[in-house]
Amino acid sequence: MSFADLSIMDYLSRIVDIFLVWYVIYKLLMIIRGTKAVQLLKGIFVIIIARFVSEYLNLHTLSWILENAITWGFLGIIIIFQPELRRALEQLGRGSIFTRGGIQEEEELHQRVTAITEAISYMAKRRIGALISIERETGMGDYIETGIPLHSKLTSQLLINIFIPNTPLHDGAVIIQRDQIAAAACYLPLSESPFISKELGTRHRAAVGISEVTDALTIVVSEETGHVSVTQHGELYRDLSSEEFQELLEKELAKQTSSTLWKRKGKKQNG
């Protein structure tokens, strides 16, 4: 059947079919993004490319090996990606793999901002050192694995308790995924930038370091001064006031919500 023989409904069904396949692939990539599965996925692409190159160059033995590796690789993929596939199925069962309602997103945003702001305010006044990294689009699975998994509901009380001096989890970073504290005592990469002030310690250098390799929003409370700083995209914003910090936090976290929420938020502010 040629394209000229297709009806409007045939065109629409093909467009919908392509869109759904693209959307599922996109969601799966977002789930494994930032995990070790990404490196394995790159390895699979290398094997596929090597297969075509070996066939083009008439490397028969190598071509045969790669062809069989690809043929039987499906079972290997299921085994290797088992944690990610399980996570995707769990999200599908909860309905969270698809876009959730705007009201629920807005409520979650408000709860996250409130919990983090209250915790940061408490620790800043008492000069309790803290390092908190908030996952955004780039997954932080590899860094979560370096710490102690918690997967606990995000509350200001729990955040404060983690960073109380001389407690088992206070040394290191807390990583937040949406409305959960994913892990504590995590190791973040230190920045090698020569432009970071030498008066800043390891927490600030780690905060800048993680912002250079991910799009995470990272918060630092200095235990020497109680000052609050935020890093993102390799930039360090130092000595923020409570109002400046809350405004920045709301603005950046709101970027993860839908455009509908932005419109609703704008109407409320204008009102």
Side-chain angles (χ1 to χ4, degrees), residues 129-189:
L131 178 60
I132 302 171
S133 193
I134 305 172
E135 182 186 80
R136 300 170 79 181
E137 291 298 322
T138 305
M140 300 182 68
D142 287 347
Y143 304 106
I144 291 173
E145 291 179 0
T146 66
I148 306 300
L150 297 179
H151 302 295
S152 305
K153 183 175 176 58
L154 173 62
T155 65
S156 59
Q157 294 85 351
L158 182 54
L159 275 178
I160 294 168
N161 193 64
I162 289 173
F163 289 108
I164 294 296
N166 301 320
T167 54
L169 300 179
H170 87 283
D171 191 19
V174 160
I175 296 180
I176 295 174
Q177 291 179 314
R178 296 195 65 86
D179 60 345
Q180 282 195 337
I181 298 177
C186 299
Y187 173 80
L188 302 183

Short mmCIF file of all heavy atoms in Angstrom, two decimals, residues 129-189:
data_model
loop_
_atom_site.label_atom_id
_atom_site.label_comp_id
_atom_site.label_asym_id
_atom_site.label_seq_id
_atom_site.Cartn_x
_atom_site.Cartn_y
_atom_site.Cartn_z
N GLY A 129 26.33 22.09 60.13
CA GLY A 129 26.76 21.90 58.74
C GLY A 129 25.88 20.89 58.01
O GLY A 129 25.50 19.87 58.58
N ALA A 130 25.55 21.20 56.75
CA ALA A 130 24.69 20.31 55.98
C ALA A 130 25.04 20.40 54.50
O ALA A 130 25.51 21.43 54.01
CB ALA A 130 23.22 20.67 56.19
N LEU A 131 24.80 19.29 53.80
CA LEU A 131 24.99 19.21 52.34
C LEU A 131 23.84 18.40 51.77
O LEU A 131 23.73 17.20 52.05
CB LEU A 131 26.33 18.55 52.02
CG LEU A 131 26.68 18.35 50.54
CD1 LEU A 131 26.71 19.68 49.81
CD2 LEU A 131 28.02 17.63 50.40
N ILE A 132 22.97 19.06 51.02
CA ILE A 132 21.76 18.43 50.50
C ILE A 132 21.71 18.63 48.99
O ILE A 132 21.75 19.77 48.51
CB ILE A 132 20.49 19.03 51.14
CG1 ILE A 132 20.54 18.85 52.66
CG2 ILE A 132 19.24 18.38 50.57
CD1 ILE A 132 19.44 19.61 53.39
N SER A 133 21.60 17.55 48.24
CA SER A 133 21.53 17.61 46.79
C SER A 133 20.17 17.11 46.32
O SER A 133 19.74 16.02 46.70
CB SER A 133 22.65 16.78 46.16
OG SER A 133 22.78 17.08 44.78
N ILE A 134 19.49 17.90 45.51
CA ILE A 134 18.15 17.57 45.03
C ILE A 134 18.22 17.13 43.58
O ILE A 134 18.60 17.90 42.69
CB ILE A 134 17.21 18.79 45.16
CG1 ILE A 134 17.20 19.30 46.60
CG2 ILE A 134 15.80 18.44 44.70
CD1 ILE A 134 16.46 20.61 46.78
N GLU A 135 17.86 15.88 43.33
CA GLU A 135 17.89 15.33 41.97
C GLU A 135 16.83 16.01 41.11
O GLU A 135 15.70 16.23 41.55
CB GLU A 135 17.64 13.83 42.01
CG GLU A 135 17.70 13.17 40.64
CD GLU A 135 17.30 11.71 40.68
OE1 GLU A 135 16.09 11.44 40.71
OE2 GLU A 135 18.20 10.86 40.69
N ARG A 136 17.21 16.31 39.87
CA ARG A 136 16.26 16.91 38.92
C ARG A 136 16.14 15.99 37.71
O ARG A 136 15.73 14.85 37.83
CB ARG A 136 16.70 18.32 38.59
CG ARG A 136 16.75 19.20 39.86
CD ARG A 136 17.40 20.52 39.63
NE ARG A 136 16.49 21.44 38.97
CZ ARG A 136 16.82 22.69 38.63
NH1 ARG A 136 18.04 23.13 38.87
NH2 ARG A 136 15.95 23.48 38.05
N GLU A 137 16.53 16.45 36.53
CA GLU A 137 16.39 15.61 35.34
C GLU A 137 17.49 14.55 35.25
O GLU A 137 17.23 13.41 34.87
CB GLU A 137 16.41 16.48 34.08
CG GLU A 137 15.18 17.36 33.91
CD GLU A 137 13.92 16.55 33.77
OE1 GLU A 137 13.95 15.48 33.11
OE2 GLU A 137 12.89 16.96 34.32
N THR A 138 18.71 14.92 35.59
CA THR A 138 19.82 13.96 35.54
C THR A 138 19.77 13.04 36.75
O THR A 138 19.79 13.51 37.89
CB THR A 138 21.17 14.69 35.52
OG1 THR A 138 21.18 15.61 34.43
CG2 THR A 138 22.31 13.70 35.35
N GLY A 139 19.69 11.73 36.50
CA GLY A 139 19.63 10.78 37.60
C GLY A 139 20.91 10.78 38.43
O GLY A 139 22.00 11.05 37.92
N MET A 140 20.79 10.47 39.72
CA MET A 140 21.93 10.47 40.63
C MET A 140 22.12 9.09 41.26
O MET A 140 22.61 8.97 42.40
CB MET A 140 21.76 11.54 41.70
CG MET A 140 21.65 12.96 41.15
SD MET A 140 21.50 14.21 42.44
CE MET A 140 23.13 14.11 43.20
N GLY A 141 21.71 8.05 40.54
CA GLY A 141 21.77 6.70 41.07
C GLY A 141 23.16 6.28 41.52
O GLY A 141 23.32 5.64 42.56
N ASP A 142 24.20 6.64 40.74
CA ASP A 142 25.56 6.24 41.09
C ASP A 142 26.01 6.87 42.40
O ASP A 142 26.74 6.25 43.18
CB ASP A 142 26.53 6.63 39.97
CG ASP A 142 26.37 5.73 38.76
OD1 ASP A 142 25.72 4.68 38.89
OD2 ASP A 142 26.89 6.08 37.68
N TYR A 143 25.57 8.10 42.67
CA TYR A 143 25.97 8.78 43.90
C TYR A 143 25.15 8.28 45.09
O TYR A 143 25.65 8.22 46.21
CB TYR A 143 25.81 10.30 43.73
CG TYR A 143 26.59 10.82 42.55
CD1 TYR A 143 25.94 11.20 41.37
CD2 TYR A 143 27.98 10.89 42.59
CE1 TYR A 143 26.66 11.64 40.27
CE2 TYR A 143 28.71 11.34 41.49
CZ TYR A 143 28.04 11.71 40.34
OH TYR A 143 28.75 12.14 39.26
N ILE A 144 23.91 7.90 44.84
CA ILE A 144 23.08 7.33 45.90
C ILE A 144 23.68 6.02 46.40
O ILE A 144 23.66 5.72 47.60
CB ILE A 144 21.64 7.11 45.40
CG1 ILE A 144 20.95 8.47 45.17
CG2 ILE A 144 20.82 6.25 46.37
CD1 ILE A 144 19.59 8.37 44.52
N GLU A 145 24.26 5.26 45.48
CA GLU A 145 24.86 3.98 45.85
C GLU A 145 26.08 4.12 46.76
O GLU A 145 26.47 3.17 47.43
CB GLU A 145 25.25 3.21 44.58
CG GLU A 145 24.05 2.72 43.77
CD GLU A 145 24.48 1.99 42.51
OE1 GLU A 145 25.71 1.89 42.28
OE2 GLU A 145 23.61 1.55 41.75
N THR A 146 26.68 5.32 46.82
CA THR A 146 27.84 5.52 47.67
C THR A 146 27.45 5.76 49.13
O THR A 146 28.32 5.76 50.01
CB THR A 146 28.68 6.72 47.19
OG1 THR A 146 27.92 7.93 47.34
CG2 THR A 146 29.08 6.55 45.73
N GLY A 147 26.15 6.00 49.39
CA GLY A 147 25.70 6.31 50.74
C GLY A 147 24.87 5.21 51.37
O GLY A 147 24.89 4.06 50.93
N ILE A 148 24.14 5.59 52.40
CA ILE A 148 23.27 4.67 53.11
C ILE A 148 21.84 4.89 52.61
O ILE A 148 21.28 5.97 52.77
CB ILE A 148 23.31 4.91 54.64
CG1 ILE A 148 24.75 4.87 55.14
CG2 ILE A 148 22.44 3.90 55.36
CD1 ILE A 148 25.45 3.56 54.90
N PRO A 149 21.23 3.89 51.97
CA PRO A 149 19.87 4.07 51.42
C PRO A 149 18.84 4.26 52.54
O PRO A 149 18.86 3.56 53.55
CB PRO A 149 19.62 2.77 50.65
CG PRO A 149 20.56 1.77 51.27
CD PRO A 149 21.76 2.53 51.72
N LEU A 150 17.96 5.22 52.35
CA LEU A 150 16.90 5.49 53.31
C LEU A 150 15.51 5.33 52.69
O LEU A 150 14.64 4.69 53.24
CB LEU A 150 17.04 6.91 53.88
CG LEU A 150 18.30 7.21 54.69
CD1 LEU A 150 18.30 8.65 55.16
CD2 LEU A 150 18.41 6.27 55.88
N HIS A 151 15.31 5.98 51.52
CA HIS A 151 14.02 5.96 50.82
C HIS A 151 12.89 6.32 51.80
O HIS A 151 11.87 5.64 51.88
CB HIS A 151 13.77 4.58 50.19
CG HIS A 151 14.85 4.19 49.23
ND1 HIS A 151 15.08 4.86 48.06
CD2 HIS A 151 15.77 3.18 49.28
CE1 HIS A 151 16.09 4.30 47.41
NE2 HIS A 151 16.54 3.30 48.14
N SER A 152 13.12 7.40 52.52
CA SER A 152 12.16 7.86 53.54
C SER A 152 11.43 9.10 53.06
O SER A 152 11.95 9.86 52.23
CB SER A 152 12.89 8.16 54.85
OG SER A 152 13.65 7.05 55.28
N LYS A 153 10.27 9.33 53.60
CA LYS A 153 9.49 10.52 53.27
C LYS A 153 10.26 11.77 53.69
O LYS A 153 10.83 11.82 54.77
CB LYS A 153 8.13 10.48 53.95
CG LYS A 153 7.23 11.68 53.59
CD LYS A 153 5.87 11.53 54.21
CE LYS A 153 5.00 12.76 53.93
NZ LYS A 153 4.85 13.01 52.47
N LEU A 154 10.29 12.76 52.83
CA LEU A 154 11.00 13.99 53.10
C LEU A 154 10.28 14.81 54.17
O LEU A 154 9.15 15.24 53.97
CB LEU A 154 11.13 14.81 51.81
CG LEU A 154 11.72 16.22 51.94
CD1 LEU A 154 13.15 16.14 52.48
CD2 LEU A 154 11.70 16.93 50.59
N THR A 155 10.94 15.01 55.30
CA THR A 155 10.42 15.87 56.36
C THR A 155 11.56 16.72 56.90
O THR A 155 12.74 16.32 56.85
CB THR A 155 9.82 15.06 57.53
OG1 THR A 155 10.86 14.29 58.16
CG2 THR A 155 8.72 14.13 57.03
N SER A 156 11.24 17.87 57.44
CA SER A 156 12.26 18.75 58.00
C SER A 156 12.91 18.11 59.21
O SER A 156 14.13 18.24 59.42
CB SER A 156 11.64 20.10 58.38
OG SER A 156 10.60 19.92 59.33
N GLN A 157 12.11 17.39 60.00
CA GLN A 157 12.66 16.77 61.22
C GLN A 157 13.72 15.72 60.88
O GLN A 157 14.76 15.64 61.55
CB GLN A 157 11.53 16.12 62.03
CG GLN A 157 10.53 17.09 62.62
CD GLN A 157 9.42 17.46 61.64
OE1 GLN A 157 9.47 17.11 60.46
NE2 GLN A 157 8.40 18.15 62.13
N LEU A 158 13.46 14.91 59.85
CA LEU A 158 14.42 13.88 59.48
C LEU A 158 15.70 14.50 58.92
O LEU A 158 16.81 14.06 59.22
CB LEU A 158 13.80 12.92 58.46
CG LEU A 158 14.68 11.75 57.99
CD1 LEU A 158 15.21 10.96 59.18
CD2 LEU A 158 13.90 10.84 57.05
N LEU A 159 15.55 15.54 58.10
CA LEU A 159 16.72 16.22 57.55
C LEU A 159 17.60 16.78 58.67
O LEU A 159 18.82 16.62 58.65
CB LEU A 159 16.29 17.35 56.61
CG LEU A 159 15.98 17.00 55.16
CD1 LEU A 159 15.53 18.24 54.41
CD2 LEU A 159 17.19 16.37 54.48
N ILE A 160 16.97 17.43 59.62
CA ILE A 160 17.72 18.00 60.74
C ILE A 160 18.43 16.92 61.53
O ILE A 160 19.61 17.03 61.87
CB ILE A 160 16.77 18.81 61.66
CG1 ILE A 160 16.24 20.04 60.91
CG2 ILE A 160 17.49 19.23 62.94
CD1 ILE A 160 15.09 20.74 61.62
N ASN A 161 17.71 15.84 61.82
CA ASN A 161 18.26 14.77 62.63
C ASN A 161 19.48 14.11 61.97
O ASN A 161 20.43 13.70 62.63
CB ASN A 161 17.20 13.71 62.90
CG ASN A 161 17.61 12.74 63.99
OD1 ASN A 161 17.78 13.11 65.15
ND2 ASN A 161 17.77 11.47 63.62
N ILE A 162 19.46 14.01 60.63
CA ILE A 162 20.57 13.39 59.91
C ILE A 162 21.86 14.18 60.11
O ILE A 162 22.94 13.59 60.28
CB ILE A 162 20.24 13.29 58.40
CG1 ILE A 162 19.16 12.22 58.16
CG2 ILE A 162 21.49 12.97 57.59
CD1 ILE A 162 18.66 12.17 56.74
N PHE A 163 21.76 15.51 60.12
CA PHE A 163 22.96 16.34 60.17
C PHE A 163 23.38 16.78 61.58
O PHE A 163 24.33 17.55 61.72
CB PHE A 163 22.78 17.58 59.28
CG PHE A 163 22.79 17.26 57.81
CD1 PHE A 163 21.62 17.30 57.07
CD2 PHE A 163 23.96 16.89 57.17
CE1 PHE A 163 21.62 17.00 55.72
CE2 PHE A 163 23.97 16.59 55.82
CZ PHE A 163 22.80 16.64 55.09
N ILE A 164 22.69 16.29 62.60
CA ILE A 164 23.13 16.59 63.96
C ILE A 164 24.56 16.06 64.14
O ILE A 164 24.83 14.90 63.81
CB ILE A 164 22.19 15.94 65.00
CG1 ILE A 164 20.80 16.58 64.92
CG2 ILE A 164 22.76 16.08 66.41
CD1 ILE A 164 20.76 18.05 65.27
N PRO A 165 25.49 16.88 64.63
CA PRO A 165 26.89 16.45 64.75
C PRO A 165 27.06 15.16 65.55
O PRO A 165 26.32 14.90 66.50
CB PRO A 165 27.56 17.63 65.47
CG PRO A 165 26.70 18.81 65.11
CD PRO A 165 25.29 18.28 65.04
N ASN A 166 28.02 14.37 65.10
CA ASN A 166 28.42 13.12 65.76
C ASN A 166 27.40 11.99 65.63
O ASN A 166 27.50 10.98 66.32
CB ASN A 166 28.75 13.35 67.24
CG ASN A 166 29.86 14.36 67.42
OD1 ASN A 166 30.84 14.37 66.68
ND2 ASN A 166 29.70 15.24 68.41
N THR A 167 26.43 12.17 64.74
CA THR A 167 25.51 11.06 64.46
C THR A 167 26.07 10.27 63.28
O THR A 167 26.87 10.79 62.49
CB THR A 167 24.10 11.57 64.12
OG1 THR A 167 24.19 12.53 63.06
CG2 THR A 167 23.47 12.24 65.34
N PRO A 168 25.69 9.01 63.11
CA PRO A 168 26.32 8.15 62.08
C PRO A 168 26.20 8.67 60.65
O PRO A 168 27.06 8.38 59.82
CB PRO A 168 25.57 6.82 62.24
CG PRO A 168 25.09 6.81 63.65
CD PRO A 168 24.76 8.24 63.97
N LEU A 169 25.14 9.44 60.32
CA LEU A 169 24.90 9.83 58.94
C LEU A 169 25.24 11.29 58.63
O LEU A 169 25.04 11.74 57.51
CB LEU A 169 23.43 9.59 58.57
CG LEU A 169 22.93 8.15 58.68
CD1 LEU A 169 21.45 8.07 58.31
CD2 LEU A 169 23.73 7.20 57.79
N HIS A 170 25.76 12.03 59.60
CA HIS A 170 25.91 13.48 59.40
C HIS A 170 27.02 13.83 58.42
O HIS A 170 27.01 14.89 57.81
CB HIS A 170 26.16 14.17 60.74
CG HIS A 170 27.60 14.23 61.13
ND1 HIS A 170 28.28 13.13 61.64
CD2 HIS A 170 28.52 15.23 61.06
CE1 HIS A 170 29.54 13.48 61.89
NE2 HIS A 170 29.71 14.74 61.54
N ASP A 171 27.99 12.93 58.28
CA ASP A 171 29.14 13.22 57.42
C ASP A 171 28.86 12.74 56.00
O ASP A 171 28.78 11.55 55.74
CB ASP A 171 30.39 12.54 57.97
CG ASP A 171 31.65 13.01 57.27
OD1 ASP A 171 31.60 14.08 56.64
OD2 ASP A 171 32.67 12.30 57.33
N GLY A 172 28.70 13.66 55.08
CA GLY A 172 28.37 13.31 53.70
C GLY A 172 27.14 14.07 53.24
O GLY A 172 26.65 14.98 53.92
N ALA A 173 26.64 13.71 52.08
CA ALA A 173 25.51 14.44 51.49
C ALA A 173 24.23 13.63 51.57
O ALA A 173 24.25 12.40 51.53
CB ALA A 173 25.81 14.77 50.03
N VAL A 174 23.13 14.35 51.70
CA VAL A 174 21.80 13.76 51.56
C VAL A 174 21.34 14.00 50.13
O VAL A 174 21.49 15.12 49.61
CB VAL A 174 20.81 14.38 52.57
CG1 VAL A 174 19.37 14.15 52.12
CG2 VAL A 174 21.03 13.79 53.96
N ILE A 175 20.80 12.98 49.49
CA ILE A 175 20.26 13.13 48.14
C ILE A 175 18.75 12.95 48.18
O ILE A 175 18.25 11.95 48.72
CB ILE A 175 20.90 12.12 47.17
CG1 ILE A 175 22.40 12.39 47.04
CG2 ILE A 175 20.23 12.19 45.79
CD1 ILE A 175 23.12 11.43 46.11
N ILE A 176 18.05 13.92 47.64
CA ILE A 176 16.58 13.92 47.64
C ILE A 176 16.08 13.62 46.23
O ILE A 176 16.52 14.23 45.26
CB ILE A 176 16.04 15.27 48.12
CG1 ILE A 176 16.42 15.51 49.59
CG2 ILE A 176 14.53 15.35 47.95
CD1 ILE A 176 16.03 16.89 50.10
N GLN A 177 15.16 12.67 46.14
CA GLN A 177 14.47 12.36 44.88
C GLN A 177 12.99 12.66 45.08
O GLN A 177 12.33 12.01 45.87
CB GLN A 177 14.65 10.89 44.50
CG GLN A 177 16.06 10.51 44.08
CD GLN A 177 16.18 9.04 43.74
OE1 GLN A 177 15.70 8.17 44.46
NE2 GLN A 177 16.83 8.74 42.62
N ARG A 178 12.51 13.67 44.38
CA ARG A 178 11.11 14.12 44.50
C ARG A 178 10.76 14.33 45.96
O ARG A 178 11.34 15.18 46.62
CB ARG A 178 10.16 13.13 43.81
CG ARG A 178 10.38 13.04 42.29
CD ARG A 178 9.23 12.35 41.60
NE ARG A 178 8.01 13.14 41.73
CZ ARG A 178 7.69 14.13 40.90
NH1 ARG A 178 8.46 14.46 39.89
NH2 ARG A 178 6.56 14.81 41.09
N ASP A 179 9.84 13.55 46.53
CA ASP A 179 9.42 13.77 47.92
C ASP A 179 10.04 12.75 48.87
O ASP A 179 9.52 12.50 49.95
CB ASP A 179 7.89 13.71 48.02
CG ASP A 179 7.33 12.36 47.58
OD1 ASP A 179 8.07 11.60 46.93
OD2 ASP A 179 6.16 12.08 47.88
N GLN A 180 11.18 12.16 48.47
CA GLN A 180 11.85 11.17 49.31
C GLN A 180 13.30 11.54 49.57
O GLN A 180 13.97 12.12 48.70
CB GLN A 180 11.81 9.79 48.66
CG GLN A 180 10.48 9.06 48.78
CD GLN A 180 10.64 7.59 48.44
OE1 GLN A 180 11.56 7.19 47.74
NE2 GLN A 180 9.74 6.76 48.93
N ILE A 181 13.77 11.18 50.76
CA ILE A 181 15.21 11.23 51.04
C ILE A 181 15.75 9.88 50.60
O ILE A 181 15.53 8.87 51.26
CB ILE A 181 15.48 11.47 52.53
CG1 ILE A 181 14.91 12.83 52.95
CG2 ILE A 181 16.98 11.43 52.81
CD1 ILE A 181 15.07 13.13 54.44
N ALA A 182 16.43 9.85 49.48
CA ALA A 182 16.89 8.58 48.89
C ALA A 182 18.02 7.96 49.70
O ALA A 182 18.03 6.76 49.93
CB ALA A 182 17.32 8.80 47.45
N ALA A 183 18.99 8.78 50.11
CA ALA A 183 20.14 8.25 50.83
C ALA A 183 20.84 9.36 51.59
O ALA A 183 20.68 10.54 51.30
CB ALA A 183 21.11 7.58 49.85
N ALA A 184 21.61 8.96 52.59
CA ALA A 184 22.42 9.89 53.37
C ALA A 184 23.86 9.41 53.39
O ALA A 184 24.15 8.27 53.00
CB ALA A 184 21.87 10.01 54.78
N ALA A 185 24.77 10.28 53.86
CA ALA A 185 26.20 9.97 53.92
C ALA A 185 26.74 9.61 52.54
O ALA A 185 27.58 8.71 52.40
CB ALA A 185 26.47 8.84 54.92
N CYS A 186 26.25 10.29 51.50
CA CYS A 186 26.69 10.02 50.13
C CYS A 186 27.96 10.81 49.80
O CYS A 186 28.19 11.90 50.32
CB CYS A 186 25.58 10.40 49.14
SG CYS A 186 24.06 9.48 49.35
N TYR A 187 28.74 10.25 48.92
CA TYR A 187 29.95 10.91 48.45
C TYR A 187 29.66 11.63 47.14
O TYR A 187 29.14 11.04 46.20
CB TYR A 187 31.09 9.90 48.24
CG TYR A 187 32.32 10.50 47.61
CD1 TYR A 187 33.23 11.22 48.36
CD2 TYR A 187 32.54 10.37 46.24
CE1 TYR A 187 34.35 11.80 47.78
CE2 TYR A 187 33.66 10.93 45.64
CZ TYR A 187 34.56 11.64 46.42
OH TYR A 187 35.66 12.21 45.83
N LEU A 188 30.01 12.92 47.09
CA LEU A 188 29.85 13.71 45.87
C LEU A 188 31.23 14.08 45.34
O LEU A 188 32.17 14.29 46.11
CB LEU A 188 29.05 14.99 46.15
CG LEU A 188 27.64 14.81 46.73
CD1 LEU A 188 26.96 16.16 46.88
CD2 LEU A 188 26.79 13.88 45.89
N PRO A 189 31.38 14.17 44.02
CA PRO A 189 32.69 14.50 43.45
C PRO A 189 33.12 15.92 43.79
O PRO A 189 32.30 16.85 43.75
CB PRO A 189 32.47 14.33 41.94
CG PRO A 189 30.99 14.56 41.76
CD PRO A 189 30.34 14.01 42.99
#
